[in-house]
Amino acid sequence: MKQIKITALRVVDLRFPTSRDHIGSDAVNVDPDYSAAYCILETDSALEGHGLTFTLGRGTDLCVAALNYLGRFIVGRTLSSITDDFVAFNRTLTDDSQFRWLGPEKGVIHLSTGALINAVWDLYAKSEGKPLWRLLAGMPAEKLLSAIDFRYIDDVLSRDEALAILTASEEGKAQRIESLLANGYPAYTTSAGWFGFSDEKIKRLCEEGLADGWTHFKLKVGGVPADDLRRGRIVRQTIGPHNRIMVDANQKWGVLEAIDRTNQLTELNPWWMEEPTSPDDILGHARIRREVAPTRIATGEHCHNKVMFKQLLQAEAIDVCQIDSCRVAGVNENLAIILMAAKFGIPVCPHAGGVGLCEYVQHLSAFDYLRVSCSLEDRVIEYVDHLHEHFLTPVDIRRGRYFLPETPGYSIEIRPESLKKFAFPEGEAWKS
Amino acid sequence: MKQIKITALRVVDLRFPTSRDHIGSDAVNVDPDYSAAYCILETDSALEGHGLTFTLGRGTDLCVAALNYLGRFIVGRTLSSITDDFVAFNRTLTDDSQFRWLGPEKGVIHLSTGALINAVWDLYAKSEGKPLWRLLAGMPAEKLLSAIDFRYIDDVLSRDEALAILTASEEGKAQRIESLLANGYPAYTTSAGWFGFSDEKIKRLCEEGLADGWTHFKLKVGGVPADDLRRGRIVRQTIGPHNRIMVDANQKWGVLEAIDRTNQLTELNPWWMEEPTSPDDILGHARIRREVAPTRIATGEHCHNKVMFKQLLQAEAIDVCQIDSCRVAGVNENLAIILMAAKFGIPVCPHAGGVGLCEYVQHLSAFDYLRVSCSLEDRVIEYVDHLHEHFLTPVDIRRGRYFLPETPGYSIEIRPESLKKFAFPEGEAWKS
């Protein structure tokens, strides 16, 4: 790798006024303006590293402020000084002795750490001339391990266990890459079932989804019970008995209510129930899972770090591990989570949508398939069909599958004109 | 209650340069500048409501920004409109549909919510002409219950169970108040055992502590094993076999290391081991507790909400419940946590120190004694002996016990001259 020095960090408060069309609405998030604290690592080369953390509008400025603070730990460093000892670098971000009081490793400061670390990986992959998924696919196991911090997780996953998983994945890797390139990675759509959509719109969008080759459809629930059931029946009747429905309550219920409400939806035969209660309630999810079986339980988009994921797995609280590309500290922490999920035999189905999450997570799922679980069984990446036009390398979705990018980097770079137009509050989109 | 309207919210970034003297140093927090995002509710009466959330210096500005955002939900409201339906008000703060993405109920935004809600209680108590502990002591059970949000905890504590606890506490309450006034509430000192202190200083401070009537001493550990043991022996030899040592690792270790390291300190006969590992690791604490028994496990100062405390109790992960007055959403959430701890029979020993935490938590422990557990057994409030001079009503500590204030409010009001001198970065204290 050529020596590249990071010379500046530029941060943008980027907000899209999606709430005007009820896009992204659910039982809890009623009016999101899909947004991002977006950062650009400027360097002394022609390359830039781009990263973002996804937010819902108000409060994005807090992540911008946190990113501007964290910049002190990266500006002036060479890329190789970071990637040669990635864990040490990441700890400079998470272990700042005063800043960590605001977490540690959760909320605003961890979301922002994720954006910065993802920007480093974008720069790293570009410097190697590869899309991130190919960089991860080809990286020697020892090098991958050196990027993973086993602190606080070595009681369930040792370095040697992780090494064994990564080493075993070499067998058949070339064929899996070929298969991915030819067939794509399976996906599901959330676009048909937002909370704010009318019955007619849901039916129409399900029909359109079927025509486009989708087989897995997510429906937002958590409203009046009769409404949830009526909307669910519309989806089931439209997509037929063999396609899959996933229902998502977005943390709406307490544990007892979640059990009742999930069991009331049994006739829909949901493939999973997502976020039935507080995202912090590991033991609550475990109890719900026991009492709604065989309905499967999914969560993770609000799971704030690897220690929480570790416990969701230990407690047998989930059937589906929904990693998020931004909420934890970027690629490195997700590598650890994906490895832990494999050890427990739980499939990883990333949370996506929002802005940039689809672009991000395709790389992580490819890593899971190529280097960790080596399986596509019961694995689907979330897909939502908006805001992709703002990316230089938007996701390529065909017949309900992600086809992976070949452009170097982490696919997260936003078009300069979009960065300008949707900058908050000065951009043109916010002037009206 | 006279109708009081909140007319403005004023927020101050307040930082004390405590790191210059190694005050507050431990294995993880090596150089804290004890700080606060401080807020003042201005009203159309002569009263003001004051609240703060404790921080360690850098990053306090994030909490200030969050408080300024949250101000929109309180400015213009009457005090009674809040206190008549406290849960509804608190949810306007925690459930803002865009802002909550940054948590929910954790990190920067929850710390800030705590400051604002505590300011409301300060104003509320002042308007009733009572110190907060007397307001809580005299409040009818139904009114107290109306201030507690059972969402996400009703699977372990029902409203009826809470009512039964509060109702039973009426018996003997008057005598307990008399006893508190006469004898104070037991405390322990953390001032002798900071990480950055020399052996000689620790010995001297323990001797001084004994002379001042202290019987419980905390020592910071998590350094080199031999150093921890040497320092621990100094404390034990100085205070003798009958006084108590508590050791505190401030999250330094992984689960396996925590077990080893705790067991290496057995000869000190520690009364508890505090924060042995990640504060998010409920199941990890439970395992540590099983494998270091009979050493007791304490945690909570970084436990970010009632859902996490619920699980620490459910998982039998702790012997000591260390509530924090700022990290959760203020008084209301702490009432819920104190009630849950009582149901599980776990003593509450609040985290204090920093700036303002001692002033705050004495009221919460009095509530626990007068209305919930009705016991002082195995209960001590942390005490650290600095920065109290900045408060209008500093804590009154005599012979290792807290004597409760009679001044109306939550005892958190800082002297105007201190607010000015330590405002960051413009205050005189930061000019040099």
Side-chain angles (χ1 to χ4, degrees):
Chain A
M1 191 196 314
K2 191 166 81 37
Q3 192 74 296
I4 293 174
K5 187 172 176 179
I6 295 158
T7 54
L9 174 72
R10 190 153 67 88
V11 186
V12 181
D13 186 329
L14 189 69
R15 308 193 193 186
F16 299 90
T18 47
S19 66
R20 295 174 192 167
D21 299 313
H22 299 294
I23 288 168
S25 58
D26 60 51
V28 169
N29 309 293
V30 294
D31 58 353
D33 285 324
Y34 284 168
S35 302
Y38 189 93
C39 68
I40 302 170
L41 300 173
E42 298 179 353
T43 75
D44 60 358
S45 77
L47 300 177
E48 291 177 339
H50 289 240
L52 62 76
T53 197
F54 171 56
T55 55
L56 292 192
R58 296 185 294 273
T60 307
D61 49 312
L62 298 179
C63 292
V64 167
L67 271 164
N68 279 320
Y69 173 77
L70 293 172
R72 69 184 60 190
F73 299 113
I74 194 163
V75 173
R77 292 199 54 165
T78 61
L79 177 59
S80 62
S81 81
I82 294 170
T83 57
D84 285 350
D85 194 353
F86 228 133
V87 170
F89 169 73
N90 290 358
R91 287 194 182 185
T92 65
L93 302 179
T94 58
D95 291 2
D96 177 88
S97 62
Q98 296 189 353
F99 210 60
R100 78 182 293 285
W101 186 262
L102 307 175
E105 301 187 50
K106 60 178 66 72
V108 168
I109 64 171
H110 213 49
L111 285 159
S112 305
T113 301
L116 196 60
I117 290 175
N118 285 340
V120 171
W121 281 95
D122 182 59
L123 181 62
Y124 187 13
K126 286 172 178 169
S127 78
E128 298 281 336
K130 296 175 183 171
L132 179 67
W133 70 271
R134 280 200 186 271
L135 174 64
L136 294 172
M139 197 174 271
E142 289 286 346
K143 178 77 175 166
L144 277 169
L145 285 179
S146 76
I148 295 172
D149 193 344
F150 288 88
R151 180 173 64 175
Y152 295 145
I153 61 169
D154 61 359
D155 53 319
V156 305
L157 182 75
S158 70
R159 200 178 171 287
D160 285 348
E161 288 174 306
L163 178 61
I165 292 170
L166 292 170
T167 304
S169 74
E170 290 298 334
E171 191 181 330
K173 186 171 76 176
Q175 295 93 311
R176 288 195 299 280
I177 292 178
E178 275 179 45
S179 161
L180 261 191
L181 293 174
N183 307 314
Y185 195 105
Y188 72 89
T189 178
T190 302
S191 293
W194 293 114
F195 207 66
F197 287 179
S198 68
D199 292 0
E200 294 67 33
K201 188 165 185 177
I202 290 173
K203 185 173 187 330
R204 175 172 59 77
L205 290 171
C206 285
E207 288 166 349
E208 291 175 11
L210 287 171
D212 286 343
W214 293 98
T215 54
H216 295 64
F217 297 76
K218 190 191 280 182
L219 178 73
K220 297 293 183 174
V221 297
V224 175
D227 288 346
D228 284 353
L229 198 55
R230 190 189 69 253
R231 292 155 54 87
R233 284 172 176 160
I234 291 169
V235 177
R236 177 52 80 203
Q237 284 159 10
T238 310
I239 69 172
H242 300 303
N243 289 312
R244 283 170 167 162
I245 297 180
M246 296 89 92
V247 291
D248 182 359
N250 289 88
Q251 316 167 19
K252 185 74 177 178
W253 303 314
V255 172
L256 304 176
E257 190 178 10
I259 293 165
D260 282 348
R261 294 292 298 271
T262 304
N263 284 329
Q264 286 168 22
L265 296 173
T266 304
E267 71 159 79
L268 303 177
N269 188 24
W271 196 44
W272 74 52
M273 164 57 78
E274 180 171 338
E275 285 205 307
T277 190
S278 163
D280 295 332
D281 201 346
I282 296 152
L283 301 179
H285 279 87
R287 177 172 174 188
I288 294 166
R289 180 169 176 266
R290 287 192 302 272
E291 299 193 23
V292 304
T295 300
R296 298 156 74 238
I297 296 297
T299 197
E301 73 181 64
H302 258 105
C303 184
H304 56 267
N305 61 35
K306 64 184 190 286
V307 175
M308 297 299 284
F309 274 108
K310 176 181 81 168
Q311 295 174 88
L312 285 168
L313 294 163
Q314 283 179 294
E316 301 183 1
I318 53 172
D319 298 280
V320 181
C321 177
Q322 297 183 302
I323 58 170
D324 185 281
S325 49
C326 302
R327 192 164 293 280
V328 303
V331 173
N332 308 67
E333 191 162 359
N334 270 313
L335 301 185
I337 296 163
I338 290 167
L339 282 160
M340 285 194 290
K343 177 171 175 190
F344 284 90
I346 297 297
V348 171
C349 298
H351 169 239
V355 56
L357 301 184
C358 299
E359 278 70 19
Y360 267 150
V361 298
Q362 58 185 335
H363 296 270
L364 302 175
S365 279
F367 169 76
D368 177 44
Y369 180 49
L370 298 174
R371 301 299 303 268
V372 182
S373 72
C374 305
S375 170
L376 295 180
E377 194 181 339
D378 289 342
R379 286 164 173 86
V380 279
I381 303 175
E382 185 166 20
Y383 177 69
V384 189
D385 69 354
H386 46 76
L387 301 182
H388 301 289
E389 65 275 19
H390 300 291
F391 290 85
L392 287 181
T393 314
V395 288
D396 175 12
I397 302 287
R398 283 173 260 155
R399 305 298 298 168
R401 300 176 85 92
Y402 279 77
F403 286 81
L404 296 178
E406 290 294 353
T407 309
Y410 198 1
S411 310
I412 204 67
E413 196 165 338
I414 284 191
R415 294 178 178 281
E417 60 272 24
S418 296
L419 272 186
K420 194 171 170 196
K421 181 175 178 184
F422 295 96
F424 183 86
E426 70 275 17
E428 185 196 323
W430 293 100
K431 286 261 168 73
S432 54
Chain B
M1 191 196 315
K2 189 165 85 32
Q3 192 74 296
I4 293 174
K5 188 173 175 180
I6 295 157
T7 54
L9 174 71
R10 189 152 69 87
V11 187
V12 181
D13 186 330
L14 190 68
R15 306 192 194 186
F16 299 90
T18 46
S19 65
R20 294 174 193 165
D21 300 313
H22 299 292
I23 288 168
S25 59
D26 61 50
V28 168
N29 309 294
V30 293
D31 59 351
D33 285 324
Y34 283 168
S35 302
Y38 188 92
C39 68
I40 302 169
L41 299 173
E42 298 178 352
T43 75
D44 60 359
S45 78
L47 300 177
E48 292 177 338
H50 290 239
L52 62 76
T53 196
F54 170 56
T55 54
L56 291 192
R58 296 185 295 273
T60 306
D61 49 312
L62 297 180
C63 292
V64 167
L67 271 164
N68 278 320
Y69 174 77
L70 293 171
R72 69 184 61 191
F73 299 113
I74 195 162
V75 173
R77 292 198 55 163
T78 62
L79 176 60
S80 63
S81 81
I82 294 171
T83 57
D84 285 351
D85 193 353
F86 228 133
V87 171
F89 169 72
N90 290 357
R91 286 194 183 186
T92 66
L93 303 178
T94 58
D95 292 2
D96 176 88
S97 61
Q98 296 189 353
F99 211 61
R100 77 184 292 287
W101 186 263
L102 307 176
E105 299 186 51
K106 60 178 65 70
V108 168
I109 65 173
H110 212 48
L111 285 158
S112 305
T113 301
L116 196 61
I117 290 174
N118 285 341
V120 171
W121 281 95
D122 182 61
L123 181 62
Y124 186 13
K126 287 172 178 170
S127 78
E128 298 282 336
K130 296 176 183 170
L132 179 67
W133 70 270
R134 281 200 185 271
L135 174 63
L136 294 173
M139 196 174 273
E142 289 286 347
K143 178 77 176 167
L144 277 170
L145 286 179
S146 77
I148 295 172
D149 192 345
F150 289 88
R151 180 174 63 174
Y152 296 146
I153 61 169
D154 60 0
D155 53 319
V156 305
L157 182 74
S158 70
R159 200 180 171 288
D160 285 348
E161 288 173 305
L163 178 61
I165 293 171
L166 294 169
T167 304
S169 74
E170 290 299 333
E171 190 181 331
K173 185 171 76 176
Q175 295 93 310
R176 288 194 298 280
I177 291 176
E178 275 179 46
S179 162
L180 260 190
L181 292 173
N183 308 314
Y185 194 105
Y188 71 90
T189 178
T190 303
S191 293
W194 292 114
F195 207 66
F197 286 180
S198 68
D199 291 0
E200 294 67 32
K201 186 163 185 178
I202 290 173
K203 185 172 188 330
R204 175 171 59 77
L205 290 172
C206 284
E207 288 166 348
E208 290 175 11
L210 286 171
D212 286 344
W214 293 97
T215 54
H216 295 64
F217 298 76
K218 189 191 281 182
L219 178 72
K220 298 292 183 175
V221 296
V224 176
D227 288 347
D228 285 354
L229 197 56
R230 189 191 68 252
R231 292 154 56 86
R233 284 172 177 161
I234 291 169
V235 177
R236 176 53 77 203
Q237 283 161 9
T238 310
I239 70 173
H242 301 302
N243 290 313
R244 284 172 168 162
I245 297 180
M246 296 88 94
V247 288
D248 183 357
N250 288 87
Q251 315 168 19
K252 184 75 177 177
W253 302 314
V255 173
L256 304 176
E257 190 178 9
I259 293 165
D260 282 350
R261 294 293 298 270
T262 304
N263 285 329
Q264 287 168 24
L265 297 172
T266 306
E267 71 159 78
L268 302 178
N269 189 23
W271 197 43
W272 74 52
M273 164 57 76
E274 179 172 339
E275 286 205 305
T277 190
S278 163
D280 295 333
D281 201 348
I282 296 152
L283 301 179
H285 279 87
R287 178 172 173 187
I288 294 166
R289 180 171 178 265
R290 287 192 302 272
E291 299 193 22
V292 304
T295 301
R296 297 155 75 238
I297 297 298
T299 196
E301 74 181 63
H302 258 105
C303 185
H304 58 266
N305 61 37
K306 64 183 189 286
V307 175
M308 297 299 286
F309 274 108
K310 176 181 81 167
Q311 295 174 88
L312 285 168
L313 295 163
Q314 284 178 292
E316 301 183 2
I318 54 173
D319 299 280
V320 181
C321 177
Q322 297 182 302
I323 58 170
D324 184 282
S325 49
C326 301
R327 192 164 293 280
V328 304
V331 173
N332 307 67
E333 191 162 359
N334 270 314
L335 301 185
I337 296 164
I338 290 166
L339 283 160
M340 285 195 291
K343 178 172 173 188
F344 285 89
I346 297 297
V348 171
C349 298
H351 169 238
V355 55
L357 301 184
C358 299
E359 279 70 18
Y360 266 151
V361 298
Q362 58 185 333
H363 296 271
L364 301 176
S365 279
F367 168 76
D368 177 44
Y369 180 50
L370 298 174
R371 300 301 301 270
V372 183
S373 72
C374 304
S375 171
L376 296 180
E377 193 181 340
D378 288 342
R379 286 164 174 85
V380 279
I381 303 175
E382 185 166 19
Y383 176 69
V384 188
D385 69 355
H386 45 79
L387 301 181
H388 300 290
E389 65 275 19
H390 300 291
F391 289 85
L392 287 180
T393 315
V395 286
D396 176 11
I397 301 287
R398 283 174 260 155
R399 305 297 298 167
R401 300 176 85 93
Y402 279 78
F403 287 81
L404 296 179
E406 291 293 354
T407 310
Y410 198 0
S411 309
I412 205 66
E413 195 164 339
I414 284 192
R415 294 179 179 280
E417 60 272 26
S418 296
L419 272 187
K420 195 171 167 194
K421 180 175 178 186
F422 294 96
F424 183 86
E426 70 276 18
E428 184 196 324
W430 293 99
K431 285 262 170 73
S432 51

